[in-house]
Amino acid sequence: MSSLEDAARRVQRGDVSAFRIIVEATAAKLVRLGARIMGSVTEAEDVVQEAYIKAHKALVEGRFDERSRVETWLHRIVVNAALDARRKRKRDASEPLDDAAIGERGSTAEEVVALRELAAWLDELPDDQRTALLLKSVEGMSSAEVAEVLGCSEGAVEQRLVRARATLRERSTS
Amino acid sequence: MTHPDDDIDARLARLARATERARPSAGFTDRVLAGIDGAPGKDWRSELPRVSRRLVPVLTLVAAGAVVWAVHSARAVDDALVGSFDAMEIEW
């Protein structure tokens, strides 16, 4: 059993300190994923923090069924939380991704620009296509891993990737 | 001739490299753990499902024991009644 699975079991048994192991092992990856979806490390930190709180609650209440790996499960929670936050940001048109929001804690100017470019470029894609493309082509996951995170078949992932590329191609030629 | 997907892949690869080092700021883990400690719902009601799950096997055993004891007691009562009826018939 991996150390993350072991830590998750300890949290389920009431060992609060074991959750630190999970956060320390996964925070860098999850915040980077969140930042790539949100276009901002600062916003990603908020999203990932909320995701960890949800994950901890689910573990304590026994709602983590261990059908997937802890890391995959956390990726799924962060993806969903980030998509919700993006939708909320779009609804609240008063909160665009402005320079203040991405005047980031500890990010270089190049990272800030690249995160913003990535988010803006993929912004018009539907959520399912954008996340499939991000997880596969930017995060470097396999189709099977993407399918597990998104809770769909590998075929559905491939289909989303094809559609996403078609949309991006179309937009670049128009 | 380049395939249009090459441009997309090249751009995705460039952006992946440029954002590779995006990291949480210092103290992020402590903020997360502080947030968990301060999260609402850490009262007895949130503990209830976990405690209940642990109690289920114990309560199942207790229930099974109670059924066995009830059946045993019913038989003992039946035997006692049969015995007393037999005694009454002999006396009569």
Side-chain angles (χ1 to χ4, degrees), chain B:
Chain B
M1 188 185 135
T2 59
H3 191 277
D5 275 356
D6 290 347
D7 290 341
I8 293 171
D9 287 333
R11 192 173 177 188
L12 285 168
R14 176 177 63 77
L15 290 171
R17 277 194 308 276
T19 56
E20 184 67 35
R21 294 174 64 81
R23 290 277 181 279
S25 54
F28 178 71
T29 299
D30 291 331
R31 289 198 298 279
V32 168
L33 296 174
I36 287 168
D37 284 341
K42 285 198 80 177
D43 57 7
W44 64 272
R45 277 166 296 195
S46 66
E47 291 292 305
L48 204 56
R50 192 164 60 89
V51 173
S52 305
R53 259 191 312 283
R54 288 190 181 175
L55 281 178
V56 164
V58 176
L59 292 177
T60 306
L61 278 176
V62 170
V67 168
V68 170
W69 177 81
V71 169
H72 192 74
S73 299
R75 278 196 193 145
V77 169
D78 286 347
D79 290 346
L81 284 174
V82 168
S84 63
F85 282 132
D86 287 348
M88 280 172 66
E89 278 178 22
I90 290 167
E91 279 173 17
W92 183 77

Side-chain angles (χ1 to χ4, degrees), chain A residues 12-14 16 19-20 23-24 27-28 31-32 35-36 41 45-46 48-49 52-53 56-57 60-62 105 107 110-111 114-115 117-118 121-122 133 137-138 165 168-169, chain B residues 3-5 7-9 11-26 28-37 39-42 46-47 49-50 53-54:
Chain A
Q12 284 175 317
R13 289 197 297 264
V16 181
F19 200 71
R20 177 180 280 276
V23 176
E24 283 177 347
V31 169
R32 188 184 62 196
R36 283 167 167 171
V41 171
E45 283 190 356
D46 294 341
V48 173
Q49 181 163 354
Y52 276 131
I53 290 172
H56 181 267
K57 196 162 185 276
V60 168
E61 292 176 0
R105 305 160 180 155
S107 298
E110 289 79 12
E111 275 167 15
L115 286 170
E117 181 187 341
L118 184 62
W121 183 35
L122 305 183
L133 194 64
S137 301
V138 181
R165 285 167 188 283
L168 293 176
R169 258 200 316 272
Chain B
H3 191 277
D5 275 356
D7 290 341
I8 293 171
D9 287 333
R11 192 173 177 188
L12 285 168
R14 176 177 63 77
L15 290 171
R17 277 194 308 276
T19 56
E20 184 67 35
R21 294 174 64 81
R23 290 277 181 279
S25 54
F28 178 71
T29 299
D30 291 331
R31 289 198 298 279
V32 168
L33 296 174
I36 287 168
D37 284 341
K42 285 198 80 177
S46 66
E47 291 292 305
R50 192 164 60 89
R53 259 191 312 283
R54 288 190 181 175

Side-chain angles (χ1 to χ4, degrees), chain A residues 128-146:
Chain A
D128 58 344
Q129 294 175 25
R130 185 172 56 243
T131 46
L133 194 64
L134 264 174
L135 293 173
K136 172 92 179 179
S137 301
V138 181
E139 290 292 318
M141 288 183 176
S142 68
S143 294
E145 288 170 323
V146 176

Side-chain angles (χ1 to χ4, degrees), chain A residues 4-5 7-8 18-31 33-34 37 47-59 64 68-82 135 141 148-149, chain B residues 32 36:
Chain A
L4 278 185
E5 268 64 31
F19 200 71
R20 177 180 280 276
I21 297 168
I22 295 176
V23 176
E24 283 177 347
T26 56
K29 267 189 186 178
L30 294 177
V31 169
L33 169 63
I37 296 174
V47 163
V48 173
Q49 181 163 354
E50 283 304 309
Y52 276 131
I53 290 172
K54 278 183 193 167
H56 181 267
K57 196 162 185 276
L59 281 174
F64 173 55
S68 54
R69 290 183 306 126
V70 171
E71 196 170 357
T72 307
W73 176 62
L74 288 172
H75 271 80
R76 192 181 309 146
I77 296 174
V78 168
V79 165
N80 290 334
L135 293 173
M141 288 183 176
E148 212 182 334
V149 170
Chain B
V32 168
I36 287 168

Side-chain angles (χ1 to χ4, degrees), chain A residues 149-168:
Chain A
V149 170
L150 299 183
C152 62
S153 67
E154 282 185 56
V157 169
E158 295 300 335
Q159 204 173 33
R160 289 173 193 187
L161 291 172
V162 168
R163 285 185 187 155
R165 285 167 188 283
T167 307
L168 293 176

